[in-house]
Each structure stands twice: as structure tokens, then as C-alpha cells.
Amino acid sequence: MKLFKKILDIINKPQPAEDPIEERGKFMPNIDLPVDEKFTINFKKNGGKFIYCDSIEEIYDSFRSILTENNWTNKKIFCINPKLKEKFEKLGGDFSTSLRGSSSFITTCENLVADNGAILVSSNQIGELKLQELPDNLILFATTSQLVNTIGEGLRGIKNKNKNQIPTNITTIKHFNTQGEKNFLNYGSNTKNLYLLLLEDL
């Protein structure tokens, strides 16, 4: 997983006019990319903002930068996870369990899904709220051990982890468009401005 920095460098380089994957033809077998690389490519394609960190100190620095960049330092941040609140509230922002008047929402997730770059969440993170009820700005704290290849793999993991009581309200967040633009491909979905703070834990 330490390859993330190298992968991000490759992805952020200007691409040549001809994409070698496009040249392969539709009948050629798919290139099987590693799960971390596949997630990074698809998440960025969806419009998400990706911040990879080696340590919790880097996570804290990145969180402060997000607050400063968006002028959220003194604004209300919705948070329903007490452990997350305890971890981040000392860094700035007015943390609240009330959704009303919140400029952003900080949460964790169940899994990061590589094959479509989506974020899998459940009632463990968002309670019984619908995605459209959440603030447009999301800050997500996740770890590299939460990466899975498919939604099916993520759902199996949720079931195994919560044998006594499977969480409800399981859904994916997939469209992260900072300008809030809509097109027919994401019509009916909930577009969010999403920052992913990803901590290396493997």
C-alpha cells in the first residue's frame, strides 16, 4: 500500500494524447490493476479530492488545511461519531451533533470500493439520514485496510463484522463534483464535494 504516493504521481502527470488502454481494443482482456491503484483512478474520475497520509499527524495537518482553504475554521461541522469528534474537534471547526446550519459533515465509512471509486456507508456512519439530507461538503476519514475490490466484497465484510446486528441504510456515495454540475450520467444521484483523508495502516 506504500505505493499510493507513486500511483498519485503517475495519475497526476499529464497524459499523452493516445491512451494505451483505449488502444487495446474491446476484445482484449481487462488489465487487472492492484486494488489501491484502481480505487485511486476511479475515485479521482468521480471528482473526489484525495489526500494520502502516512501518519495521523499528516491527517491532522490536512484537516486543518481543508478548514482553512474553505473558511470552515469557525463554521459548524456536523459529526455523529463521538470518537471522530474527540479526534478532530481540537483542530478547529464548531463540531455539532445537529445537522441544522452545518457547512460540512465529517465521517468514517464502511469501505472504499475500487471498481467504481465509490464510498460505502451505512447507519454506522450516517444514522438513518438520506444522502440528500447531509451537507454538500463531506470530509471522510478512512484507512487503506478499508479498500475492497467490489461492493459485494464490502457487503460481505459488513455482514461478517456485524453478525449480531447488521447495520441498515447501506448506500454508496459515488459522485463528487465540486462545482455541483449535473449531467444525465449522474441524474438522480446526490453530488457531494468530498475530501478523502486516507491513512496508511497496512
Side-chain angles (χ1 to χ4, degrees):
M1 293 294 178
K2 293 271 184 190
L3 292 172
F4 260 111
K5 283 185 179 169
K6 195 181 284 184
I7 292 163
L8 286 172
D9 288 343
I10 292 165
I11 291 167
N12 289 327
K13 267 187 193 171
Q15 296 297 312
E18 292 296 323
D19 186 345
I21 293 172
E22 294 289 326
E23 290 175 10
R24 288 174 52 80
K26 63 181 180 179
F27 298 109
M28 292 292 285
N30 289 333
I31 297 171
D32 196 16
L33 296 171
V35 66
D36 49 359
E37 189 174 344
K38 199 190 303 182
F39 173 77
T40 305
I41 291 166
N42 290 326
F43 179 77
K44 287 190 67 132
K45 255 190 219 172
N46 292 343
K49 295 180 182 120
F50 186 100
I51 304 165
Y52 170 74
C53 302
D54 275 326
S55 67
I56 196 67
E57 288 72 27
E58 279 187 44
I59 292 283
Y60 292 155
D61 287 344
S62 300
F63 178 75
R64 283 191 203 96
S65 296
I66 291 168
L67 295 188
T68 304
E69 179 186 315
N70 294 284
N71 296 317
W72 295 340
T73 308
N74 298 310
K75 291 195 176 165
K76 202 164 154 188
I77 298 171
F78 179 51
C79 181
I80 59 176
N81 182 327
K83 288 182 182 172
L84 208 57
K85 181 177 184 235
E86 190 182 327
K87 213 183 266 274
F88 286 94
E89 70 178 339
K90 60 190 176 217
L91 305 171
D94 175 18
F95 278 67
S96 173
T97 53
S98 168
L99 185 55
R100 190 173 183 148
S102 296
S103 60
S104 57
F105 173 50
I106 185 166
T107 188
T108 56
C109 68
E110 295 291 344
N111 291 108
L112 308 170
V113 184
D115 72 352
N116 64 359
I119 310 296
L120 187 63
V121 293
S122 74
S123 55
N124 289 336
Q125 291 82 39
I126 62 172
E128 296 308 318
L129 293 167
K130 294 183 173 73
L131 291 182
Q132 62 264 29
E133 294 173 317
L134 296 172
D136 289 336
N137 303 302
L138 304 184
I139 302 169
L140 184 85
F141 174 59
T143 59
T144 51
S145 60
Q146 290 177 282
L147 282 160
V148 293
N149 258 307
T150 65
I151 289 174
E153 191 182 327
L155 293 173
R156 282 192 298 277
I158 292 171
K159 188 177 175 185
N160 292 336
K161 196 168 60 176
N162 303 276
K163 287 184 177 172
N164 296 331
Q165 188 175 2
I166 294 173
T168 57
N169 201 16
I170 298 169
T171 189
T172 58
I173 310 169
K174 186 179 172 186
H175 300 288
F176 324 117
N177 190 321
T178 54
Q179 274 72 45
E181 293 167 5
K182 299 272 183 184
N183 63 45
F184 75 95
L185 293 173
N186 62 22
Y187 182 75
S189 63
N190 293 286
T191 303
K192 300 293 182 187
N193 175 30
L194 190 139
Y195 290 88
L196 171 61
L197 297 172
L198 185 66
L199 177 64
E200 172 68 61
D201 70 337
L202 292 175

